[in-house]
Amino acid sequence: MEAINNFLLLLDSYLGSAAYFPYILLGVGIFFTLYLGFPQIRFFGHAWKVVTGKFDKKGAEGDTTHFQALSTALSGTVGTGNIGGVALAIFLGGPAALFWMWVTAFLGMTTKFVEVTLSHKYRVKTEDGTMAGGPMYYMDRRLNMKWLAVIFAIATIISSFGTGNMPQINNIAQSMEMSFGFDPMLVGGVLAILLALVIIGGITRIAAVTSKIVPIMGALYIIGSLSVIFFNVDQIGPSFVAIFTDAFTGSAATGGFLGATFAYAFNRGVNRGLFSNEAGQGSAPIAHASAKADEPVSEGMVSILEPFIDTIIICTLTGLVILSSGVWSQKHENTFSRTDLDIVAGHYSDAEAADREALYHYLNDTNENTIEKYNGTIQVRDGRPVSNGYTMLHARSVAENVRFIVAGEDPYTGVLRIENGQLKKEDIVIVGDSLIHSAALTAKAFSMGFLGEAGEYIVPISLMLFAFSTAIAWSYYGDRAVVYLFGQRGVMPYRIIYVAGFFVASFADTTLVWTLSYVAIVLMTLPNLLGIVLLRREMKDTVKAYWQDFDAEQSKKIEK
């Protein structure tokens, strides 16, 4: 299992984690933004009118309204990435990461407009009378590249488990256990039953549920976020200054945060932006293909709103909560994760300018790094280390007030062996003060507002709603990919396996599936980006024809 996981990580290093991937993603967005004349700006107001049903036509084919299709797509994109993902991006790349998320979202509004329009244009009606669409259909029906469509469809099914299913319930179960003491298996069992009741009803029930969940969870999160931001209103200005200055000068060291290189912040921001709003991945077009619309461009208009709501609104609120509260650069007591632990040779303090610079080069792996990993032993007495010659780093910060605990809460006494910067004794729990990241960082930030410590509960509740709605939406994406590959007969077996996987992942290790999803996401994104670029002229002509017909219809209404 470990060998397979390492192979997938190696493969991902040549795909999604490779240096070229963010540039391809942004490059396509820049191209279509210029090629179509900034549609994310010109069509923004029109998109709101379309989603409210102002231009709806009776008898248009489809299964859902524009708003329901948007809600389903949003439920698939607004997930754990909006809560823990933004915190992780700021933790790794500093405030600059949020700037690059904005850039990705702005360009992604155009990319999503294109992919949704083309996918809706080539959708089909299935055996049971429902609509099926997505990039695999334009790849097959328009480009005659069935092999590429098959790759995309297979990758979509894998991603439905690795992105929308298993990690989501795993995060929910862990969060519910940590915040409320609920048993993970119980949480998984209850939510698996609810998931089954929703997805077995197909797109009409999925759309009905998501159109109710999305506004509720959005309102809850926005109100909670504003309660923190306005409580720290004096830090809003400095937060925006940090975002913009760090984006162009490289993330500066602040508090416990030791800084990140420009490339690091850029890469984290762009990749997190894609993970958050999924623009270019080709997933959302599957949901939008169900919308009742005769003009594909009108549904493309609706999709422009997705990256705006998901990233520019929701992710920005999360980022401002974290930055304005100041917790992102402060150390907090926590239980150390072995994956975030690193022990280096020599004594360093982040209170000393020279040491901070040396640690900066070490953590960012620059050519100027002179720090080496520690090899040797640590003497511990009553849980406290007493030997020198090393510095313990946790979560990219110098750890303080470190305590070693064994057998529950008993302080450890003895000698610990360190090899290549890692503690070899497995049954030791390390507690101390360091930076924190992901959902834990967001939760801590929410406690710094008008609600006080009670604000922390907004995170697990929002995370549950966000993640559960994501699982619902991705079940439909995988469902339509199954229909493309195997026909209607494959849908029910897929749904059963999807629900079973959802339950098991609530208490099982999902590392392998999560790693596999890294690869699958790229195997969705790259074929989709290639396809929409190949269809660039058709896209431009389709948009032109839409406005000609729209203007003609409006003229007739005026005449009447």
mmCIF file of all heavy atoms in Angstrom, residues 485-525:
data_model
loop_
_atom_site.group_PDB
_atom_site.id
_atom_site.type_symbol
_atom_site.label_atom_id
_atom_site.label_comp_id
_atom_site.label_asym_id
_atom_site.label_seq_id
_atom_site.Cartn_x
_atom_site.Cartn_y
_atom_site.Cartn_z
ATOM 1 N N LEU A 485 -20.022 5.886 -19.686
ATOM 2 C CA LEU A 485 -19.192 4.703 -19.922
ATOM 3 C C LEU A 485 -20.005 3.414 -20.043
ATOM 4 O O LEU A 485 -19.712 2.556 -20.889
ATOM 5 C CB LEU A 485 -18.173 4.545 -18.792
ATOM 6 C CG LEU A 485 -17.069 5.612 -18.717
ATOM 7 C CD1 LEU A 485 -16.264 5.427 -17.431
ATOM 8 C CD2 LEU A 485 -16.156 5.536 -19.936
ATOM 9 N N PHE A 486 -21.033 3.271 -19.185
ATOM 10 C CA PHE A 486 -21.720 1.974 -19.087
ATOM 11 C C PHE A 486 -23.224 2.035 -19.336
ATOM 12 O O PHE A 486 -23.883 0.996 -19.361
ATOM 13 C CB PHE A 486 -21.488 1.364 -17.686
ATOM 14 C CG PHE A 486 -20.039 1.299 -17.293
ATOM 15 C CD1 PHE A 486 -19.537 2.136 -16.314
ATOM 16 C CD2 PHE A 486 -19.172 0.412 -17.916
ATOM 17 C CE1 PHE A 486 -18.204 2.086 -15.946
ATOM 18 C CE2 PHE A 486 -17.833 0.347 -17.558
ATOM 19 C CZ PHE A 486 -17.348 1.189 -16.568
ATOM 20 N N GLY A 487 -23.755 3.224 -19.483
ATOM 21 C CA GLY A 487 -25.193 3.340 -19.661
ATOM 22 C C GLY A 487 -25.927 3.377 -18.329
ATOM 23 O O GLY A 487 -25.322 3.302 -17.258
ATOM 24 N N GLN A 488 -27.249 3.433 -18.398
ATOM 25 C CA GLN A 488 -28.074 3.572 -17.207
ATOM 26 C C GLN A 488 -27.939 2.402 -16.240
ATOM 27 O O GLN A 488 -28.115 2.556 -15.031
ATOM 28 C CB GLN A 488 -29.544 3.734 -17.627
ATOM 29 C CG GLN A 488 -30.434 4.361 -16.580
ATOM 30 C CD GLN A 488 -30.064 5.801 -16.275
ATOM 31 O OE1 GLN A 488 -29.628 6.533 -17.156
ATOM 32 N NE2 GLN A 488 -30.229 6.205 -15.022
ATOM 33 N N ARG A 489 -27.590 1.220 -16.752
ATOM 34 C CA ARG A 489 -27.493 0.033 -15.888
ATOM 35 C C ARG A 489 -26.386 0.149 -14.838
ATOM 36 O O ARG A 489 -26.397 -0.559 -13.829
ATOM 37 C CB ARG A 489 -27.249 -1.214 -16.740
ATOM 38 C CG ARG A 489 -25.892 -1.245 -17.428
ATOM 39 C CD ARG A 489 -25.711 -2.485 -18.294
ATOM 40 N NE ARG A 489 -24.382 -2.555 -18.882
ATOM 41 C CZ ARG A 489 -24.014 -1.926 -19.981
ATOM 42 N NH1 ARG A 489 -24.895 -1.138 -20.616
ATOM 43 N NH2 ARG A 489 -22.789 -2.043 -20.456
ATOM 44 N N GLY A 490 -25.427 1.018 -15.069
ATOM 45 C CA GLY A 490 -24.322 1.149 -14.119
ATOM 46 C C GLY A 490 -24.582 2.129 -12.984
ATOM 47 O O GLY A 490 -23.801 2.189 -12.024
ATOM 48 N N VAL A 491 -25.691 2.863 -13.053
ATOM 49 C CA VAL A 491 -25.939 3.935 -12.086
ATOM 50 C C VAL A 491 -26.188 3.414 -10.678
ATOM 51 O O VAL A 491 -25.565 3.878 -9.706
ATOM 52 C CB VAL A 491 -27.126 4.817 -12.545
ATOM 53 C CG1 VAL A 491 -27.533 5.786 -11.437
ATOM 54 C CG2 VAL A 491 -26.753 5.586 -13.802
ATOM 55 N N MET A 492 -27.106 2.463 -10.533
ATOM 56 C CA MET A 492 -27.447 1.998 -9.185
ATOM 57 C C MET A 492 -26.264 1.317 -8.492
ATOM 58 O O MET A 492 -26.014 1.599 -7.302
ATOM 59 C CB MET A 492 -28.651 1.062 -9.230
ATOM 60 C CG MET A 492 -29.213 0.724 -7.846
ATOM 61 S SD MET A 492 -29.613 2.215 -6.863
ATOM 62 C CE MET A 492 -30.991 2.880 -7.793
ATOM 63 N N PRO A 493 -25.513 0.424 -9.170
ATOM 64 C CA PRO A 493 -24.320 -0.141 -8.519
ATOM 65 C C PRO A 493 -23.338 0.935 -8.075
ATOM 66 O O PRO A 493 -22.750 0.839 -6.993
ATOM 67 C CB PRO A 493 -23.712 -1.036 -9.603
ATOM 68 C CG PRO A 493 -24.869 -1.420 -10.454
ATOM 69 C CD PRO A 493 -25.755 -0.214 -10.479
ATOM 70 N N TYR A 494 -23.173 1.977 -8.908
ATOM 71 C CA TYR A 494 -22.273 3.072 -8.540
ATOM 72 C C TYR A 494 -22.760 3.771 -7.280
ATOM 73 O O TYR A 494 -21.976 4.054 -6.362
ATOM 74 C CB TYR A 494 -22.159 4.077 -9.689
ATOM 75 C CG TYR A 494 -21.522 5.386 -9.263
ATOM 76 C CD1 TYR A 494 -20.141 5.499 -9.124
ATOM 77 C CD2 TYR A 494 -22.313 6.505 -8.966
ATOM 78 C CE1 TYR A 494 -19.557 6.691 -8.712
ATOM 79 C CE2 TYR A 494 -21.730 7.700 -8.554
ATOM 80 C CZ TYR A 494 -20.362 7.790 -8.431
ATOM 81 O OH TYR A 494 -19.784 8.957 -8.010
ATOM 82 N N ARG A 495 -24.042 4.061 -7.209
ATOM 83 C CA ARG A 495 -24.591 4.765 -6.052
ATOM 84 C C ARG A 495 -24.422 3.947 -4.766
ATOM 85 O O ARG A 495 -24.128 4.503 -3.704
ATOM 86 C CB ARG A 495 -26.069 5.083 -6.285
ATOM 87 C CG ARG A 495 -26.306 6.143 -7.343
ATOM 88 C CD ARG A 495 -27.786 6.317 -7.643
ATOM 89 N NE ARG A 495 -28.009 7.360 -8.640
ATOM 90 C CZ ARG A 495 -29.187 7.598 -9.225
ATOM 91 N NH1 ARG A 495 -30.251 6.852 -8.896
ATOM 92 N NH2 ARG A 495 -29.305 8.552 -10.127
ATOM 93 N N ILE A 496 -24.619 2.642 -4.866
ATOM 94 C CA ILE A 496 -24.458 1.776 -3.692
ATOM 95 C C ILE A 496 -23.010 1.789 -3.205
ATOM 96 O O ILE A 496 -22.732 1.932 -2.008
ATOM 97 C CB ILE A 496 -24.900 0.330 -4.022
ATOM 98 C CG1 ILE A 496 -26.417 0.298 -4.275
ATOM 99 C CG2 ILE A 496 -24.522 -0.622 -2.889
ATOM 100 C CD1 ILE A 496 -26.920 -1.038 -4.788
ATOM 101 N N ILE A 497 -22.072 1.668 -4.148
ATOM 102 C CA ILE A 497 -20.648 1.685 -3.793
ATOM 103 C C ILE A 497 -20.265 3.053 -3.239
ATOM 104 O O ILE A 497 -19.482 3.156 -2.288
ATOM 105 C CB ILE A 497 -19.778 1.350 -5.024
ATOM 106 C CG1 ILE A 497 -20.054 -0.085 -5.490
ATOM 107 C CG2 ILE A 497 -18.295 1.524 -4.708
ATOM 108 C CD1 ILE A 497 -19.390 -0.445 -6.810
ATOM 109 N N TYR A 498 -20.847 4.101 -3.804
ATOM 110 C CA TYR A 498 -20.548 5.465 -3.354
ATOM 111 C C TYR A 498 -20.966 5.659 -1.894
ATOM 112 O O TYR A 498 -20.204 6.195 -1.088
ATOM 113 C CB TYR A 498 -21.282 6.463 -4.253
ATOM 114 C CG TYR A 498 -20.842 7.903 -4.068
ATOM 115 C CD1 TYR A 498 -19.749 8.409 -4.761
ATOM 116 C CD2 TYR A 498 -21.538 8.759 -3.216
ATOM 117 C CE1 TYR A 498 -19.347 9.731 -4.608
ATOM 118 C CE2 TYR A 498 -21.152 10.081 -3.052
ATOM 119 C CZ TYR A 498 -20.047 10.563 -3.751
ATOM 120 O OH TYR A 498 -19.658 11.870 -3.589
ATOM 121 N N VAL A 499 -22.152 5.205 -1.551
ATOM 122 C CA VAL A 499 -22.641 5.341 -0.178
ATOM 123 C C VAL A 499 -21.817 4.475 0.775
ATOM 124 O O VAL A 499 -21.468 4.901 1.881
ATOM 125 C CB VAL A 499 -24.137 4.967 -0.090
ATOM 126 C CG1 VAL A 499 -24.597 4.921 1.368
ATOM 127 C CG2 VAL A 499 -24.984 5.958 -0.878
ATOM 128 N N ALA A 500 -21.483 3.241 0.334
ATOM 129 C CA ALA A 500 -20.676 2.348 1.172
ATOM 130 C C ALA A 500 -19.295 2.944 1.436
ATOM 131 O O ALA A 500 -18.787 2.915 2.571
ATOM 132 C CB ALA A 500 -20.537 0.986 0.496
ATOM 133 N N GLY A 501 -18.685 3.504 0.406
ATOM 134 C CA GLY A 501 -17.375 4.136 0.564
ATOM 135 C C GLY A 501 -17.443 5.329 1.492
ATOM 136 O O GLY A 501 -16.523 5.575 2.276
ATOM 137 N N PHE A 502 -18.533 6.055 1.424
ATOM 138 C CA PHE A 502 -18.747 7.213 2.289
ATOM 139 C C PHE A 502 -18.765 6.797 3.760
ATOM 140 O O PHE A 502 -18.142 7.429 4.610
ATOM 141 C CB PHE A 502 -20.081 7.864 1.902
ATOM 142 C CG PHE A 502 -20.360 9.177 2.575
ATOM 143 C CD1 PHE A 502 -19.748 10.339 2.143
ATOM 144 C CD2 PHE A 502 -21.265 9.250 3.621
ATOM 145 C CE1 PHE A 502 -20.027 11.563 2.753
ATOM 146 C CE2 PHE A 502 -21.554 10.466 4.235
ATOM 147 C CZ PHE A 502 -20.925 11.619 3.794
ATOM 148 N N PHE A 503 -19.457 5.691 4.039
ATOM 149 C CA PHE A 503 -19.543 5.205 5.423
ATOM 150 C C PHE A 503 -18.190 4.713 5.923
ATOM 151 O O PHE A 503 -17.727 5.093 7.006
ATOM 152 C CB PHE A 503 -20.571 4.076 5.518
ATOM 153 C CG PHE A 503 -20.549 3.347 6.834
ATOM 154 C CD1 PHE A 503 -20.912 4.002 8.013
ATOM 155 C CD2 PHE A 503 -20.144 2.026 6.904
ATOM 156 C CE1 PHE A 503 -20.879 3.337 9.235
ATOM 157 C CE2 PHE A 503 -20.110 1.357 8.112
ATOM 158 C CZ PHE A 503 -20.477 2.019 9.272
ATOM 159 N N VAL A 504 -17.516 3.900 5.125
ATOM 160 C CA VAL A 504 -16.238 3.319 5.537
ATOM 161 C C VAL A 504 -15.189 4.398 5.783
ATOM 162 O O VAL A 504 -14.399 4.324 6.734
ATOM 163 C CB VAL A 504 -15.722 2.319 4.478
ATOM 164 C CG1 VAL A 504 -14.299 1.866 4.799
ATOM 165 C CG2 VAL A 504 -16.649 1.109 4.390
ATOM 166 N N ALA A 505 -15.198 5.435 4.955
ATOM 167 C CA ALA A 505 -14.190 6.490 5.077
ATOM 168 C C ALA A 505 -14.353 7.325 6.341
ATOM 169 O O ALA A 505 -13.449 8.074 6.708
ATOM 170 C CB ALA A 505 -14.237 7.396 3.857
ATOM 171 N N SER A 506 -15.472 7.197 7.024
ATOM 172 C CA SER A 506 -15.675 7.972 8.250
ATOM 173 C C SER A 506 -14.762 7.508 9.375
ATOM 174 O O SER A 506 -14.475 8.258 10.303
ATOM 175 C CB SER A 506 -17.135 7.881 8.702
ATOM 176 O OG SER A 506 -17.475 6.556 9.078
ATOM 177 N N PHE A 507 -14.278 6.265 9.280
ATOM 178 C CA PHE A 507 -13.404 5.744 10.339
ATOM 179 C C PHE A 507 -12.157 5.054 9.797
ATOM 180 O O PHE A 507 -11.344 4.548 10.563
ATOM 181 C CB PHE A 507 -14.177 4.754 11.230
ATOM 182 C CG PHE A 507 -14.819 3.615 10.478
ATOM 183 C CD1 PHE A 507 -14.110 2.458 10.196
ATOM 184 C CD2 PHE A 507 -16.139 3.700 10.053
ATOM 185 C CE1 PHE A 507 -14.694 1.413 9.504
ATOM 186 C CE2 PHE A 507 -16.737 2.653 9.361
ATOM 187 C CZ PHE A 507 -16.015 1.510 9.085
ATOM 188 N N ALA A 508 -11.956 5.040 8.478
ATOM 189 C CA ALA A 508 -10.806 4.361 7.884
ATOM 190 C C ALA A 508 -9.809 5.366 7.330
ATOM 191 O O ALA A 508 -10.123 6.545 7.131
ATOM 192 C CB ALA A 508 -11.272 3.416 6.785
ATOM 193 N N ASP A 509 -8.601 4.901 7.061
ATOM 194 C CA ASP A 509 -7.549 5.746 6.489
ATOM 195 C C ASP A 509 -7.811 5.939 4.997
ATOM 196 O O ASP A 509 -7.936 4.963 4.251
ATOM 197 C CB ASP A 509 -6.187 5.073 6.707
ATOM 198 C CG ASP A 509 -5.034 5.936 6.199
ATOM 199 O OD1 ASP A 509 -5.279 7.102 5.834
ATOM 200 O OD2 ASP A 509 -3.894 5.445 6.163
ATOM 201 N N THR A 510 -7.904 7.181 4.554
ATOM 202 C CA THR A 510 -8.210 7.468 3.145
ATOM 203 C C THR A 510 -6.999 8.048 2.402
ATOM 204 O O THR A 510 -7.152 8.636 1.344
ATOM 205 C CB THR A 510 -9.376 8.472 3.049
ATOM 206 O OG1 THR A 510 -9.002 9.680 3.729
ATOM 207 C CG2 THR A 510 -10.630 7.899 3.686
ATOM 208 N N THR A 511 -5.825 7.873 2.941
ATOM 209 C CA THR A 511 -4.624 8.479 2.348
ATOM 210 C C THR A 511 -4.427 8.066 0.899
ATOM 211 O O THR A 511 -4.169 8.905 0.022
ATOM 212 C CB THR A 511 -3.372 8.089 3.163
ATOM 213 O OG1 THR A 511 -3.530 8.524 4.511
ATOM 214 C CG2 THR A 511 -2.132 8.738 2.564
ATOM 215 N N LEU A 512 -4.565 6.769 0.616
ATOM 216 C CA LEU A 512 -4.326 6.270 -0.736
ATOM 217 C C LEU A 512 -5.329 6.858 -1.727
ATOM 218 O O LEU A 512 -4.955 7.291 -2.822
ATOM 219 C CB LEU A 512 -4.405 4.741 -0.757
ATOM 220 C CG LEU A 512 -4.147 4.078 -2.119
ATOM 221 C CD1 LEU A 512 -2.741 4.405 -2.605
ATOM 222 C CD2 LEU A 512 -4.338 2.563 -2.030
ATOM 223 N N VAL A 513 -6.600 6.888 -1.334
ATOM 224 C CA VAL A 513 -7.633 7.422 -2.225
ATOM 225 C C VAL A 513 -7.410 8.911 -2.468
ATOM 226 O O VAL A 513 -7.570 9.411 -3.575
ATOM 227 C CB VAL A 513 -9.034 7.181 -1.620
ATOM 228 C CG1 VAL A 513 -10.109 7.806 -2.517
ATOM 229 C CG2 VAL A 513 -9.292 5.702 -1.457
ATOM 230 N N TRP A 514 -7.025 9.630 -1.406
ATOM 231 C CA TRP A 514 -6.768 11.065 -1.524
ATOM 232 C C TRP A 514 -5.602 11.316 -2.470
ATOM 233 O O TRP A 514 -5.655 12.220 -3.312
ATOM 234 C CB TRP A 514 -6.490 11.631 -0.142
ATOM 235 C CG TRP A 514 -6.339 13.118 -0.077
ATOM 236 C CD1 TRP A 514 -5.261 13.804 0.371
ATOM 237 C CD2 TRP A 514 -7.299 14.102 -0.461
ATOM 238 N NE1 TRP A 514 -5.497 15.157 0.295
ATOM 239 C CE2 TRP A 514 -6.730 15.371 -0.208
ATOM 240 C CE3 TRP A 514 -8.584 14.041 -0.999
ATOM 241 C CZ2 TRP A 514 -7.399 16.554 -0.483
ATOM 242 C CZ3 TRP A 514 -9.245 15.231 -1.262
ATOM 243 C CH2 TRP A 514 -8.661 16.457 -1.001
ATOM 244 N N THR A 515 -4.547 10.506 -2.355
ATOM 245 C CA THR A 515 -3.393 10.660 -3.241
ATOM 246 C C THR A 515 -3.780 10.345 -4.685
ATOM 247 O O THR A 515 -3.360 11.030 -5.622
ATOM 248 C CB THR A 515 -2.255 9.727 -2.798
ATOM 249 O OG1 THR A 515 -1.941 9.963 -1.421
ATOM 250 C CG2 THR A 515 -1.005 9.964 -3.636
ATOM 251 N N LEU A 516 -4.604 9.310 -4.857
ATOM 252 C CA LEU A 516 -5.066 8.944 -6.194
ATOM 253 C C LEU A 516 -5.872 10.075 -6.818
ATOM 254 O O LEU A 516 -5.792 10.319 -8.028
ATOM 255 C CB LEU A 516 -5.916 7.669 -6.119
ATOM 256 C CG LEU A 516 -6.454 7.111 -7.452
ATOM 257 C CD1 LEU A 516 -5.304 6.749 -8.381
ATOM 258 C CD2 LEU A 516 -7.332 5.884 -7.193
ATOM 259 N N SER A 517 -6.610 10.786 -5.992
ATOM 260 C CA SER A 517 -7.433 11.889 -6.502
ATOM 261 C C SER A 517 -6.573 13.031 -7.038
ATOM 262 O O SER A 517 -6.993 13.759 -7.934
ATOM 263 C CB SER A 517 -8.379 12.406 -5.424
ATOM 264 O OG SER A 517 -7.690 13.171 -4.462
ATOM 265 N N TYR A 518 -5.362 13.218 -6.462
ATOM 266 C CA TYR A 518 -4.462 14.251 -6.989
ATOM 267 C C TYR A 518 -4.203 14.015 -8.476
ATOM 268 O O TYR A 518 -4.221 14.948 -9.284
ATOM 269 C CB TYR A 518 -3.119 14.221 -6.255
ATOM 270 C CG TYR A 518 -3.153 14.626 -4.808
ATOM 271 C CD1 TYR A 518 -2.208 14.143 -3.911
ATOM 272 C CD2 TYR A 518 -4.111 15.510 -4.316
ATOM 273 C CE1 TYR A 518 -2.215 14.510 -2.569
ATOM 274 C CE2 TYR A 518 -4.129 15.883 -2.986
ATOM 275 C CZ TYR A 518 -3.185 15.379 -2.117
ATOM 276 O OH TYR A 518 -3.199 15.744 -0.791
ATOM 277 N N VAL A 519 -3.950 12.766 -8.797
ATOM 278 C CA VAL A 519 -3.674 12.402 -10.192
ATOM 279 C C VAL A 519 -4.935 12.527 -11.035
ATOM 280 O O VAL A 519 -4.917 13.043 -12.153
ATOM 281 C CB VAL A 519 -3.105 10.976 -10.274
ATOM 282 C CG1 VAL A 519 -2.881 10.563 -11.720
ATOM 283 C CG2 VAL A 519 -1.802 10.870 -9.479
ATOM 284 N N ALA A 520 -6.056 12.045 -10.487
ATOM 285 C CA ALA A 520 -7.315 12.058 -11.226
ATOM 286 C C ALA A 520 -7.767 13.475 -11.567
ATOM 287 O O ALA A 520 -8.303 13.719 -12.652
ATOM 288 C CB ALA A 520 -8.397 11.334 -10.425
ATOM 289 N N ILE A 521 -7.560 14.404 -10.646
ATOM 290 C CA ILE A 521 -7.953 15.797 -10.890
ATOM 291 C C ILE A 521 -7.244 16.346 -12.122
ATOM 292 O O ILE A 521 -7.850 17.021 -12.957
ATOM 293 C CB ILE A 521 -7.649 16.671 -9.653
ATOM 294 C CG1 ILE A 521 -8.648 16.371 -8.532
ATOM 295 C CG2 ILE A 521 -7.698 18.156 -10.014
ATOM 296 C CD1 ILE A 521 -8.306 17.036 -7.216
ATOM 297 N N VAL A 522 -5.965 16.037 -12.246
ATOM 298 C CA VAL A 522 -5.200 16.521 -13.403
ATOM 299 C C VAL A 522 -5.659 15.818 -14.677
ATOM 300 O O VAL A 522 -5.712 16.430 -15.747
ATOM 301 C CB VAL A 522 -3.691 16.297 -13.184
ATOM 302 C CG1 VAL A 522 -2.896 16.823 -14.363
ATOM 303 C CG2 VAL A 522 -3.241 16.985 -11.915
ATOM 304 N N LEU A 523 -6.011 14.532 -14.565
ATOM 305 C CA LEU A 523 -6.485 13.785 -15.731
ATOM 306 C C LEU A 523 -7.883 14.227 -16.149
ATOM 307 O O LEU A 523 -8.355 13.848 -17.223
ATOM 308 C CB LEU A 523 -6.472 12.280 -15.439
ATOM 309 C CG LEU A 523 -5.080 11.670 -15.248
ATOM 310 C CD1 LEU A 523 -5.179 10.178 -14.978
ATOM 311 C CD2 LEU A 523 -4.201 11.926 -16.475
ATOM 312 N N MET A 524 -8.547 15.002 -15.311
ATOM 313 C CA MET A 524 -9.768 15.684 -15.723
ATOM 314 C C MET A 524 -9.430 17.048 -16.319
ATOM 315 O O MET A 524 -9.935 17.421 -17.376
ATOM 316 C CB MET A 524 -10.712 15.889 -14.518
ATOM 317 C CG MET A 524 -11.333 14.645 -13.943
ATOM 318 S SD MET A 524 -12.367 15.001 -12.492
ATOM 319 C CE MET A 524 -13.700 15.982 -13.214
ATOM 320 N N THR A 525 -8.557 17.775 -15.650
ATOM 321 C CA THR A 525 -8.297 19.170 -16.008
ATOM 322 C C THR A 525 -7.575 19.328 -17.340
ATOM 323 O O THR A 525 -8.012 20.108 -18.200
ATOM 324 C CB THR A 525 -7.474 19.855 -14.896
ATOM 325 O OG1 THR A 525 -8.143 19.698 -13.644
ATOM 326 C CG2 THR A 525 -7.285 21.325 -15.196
#
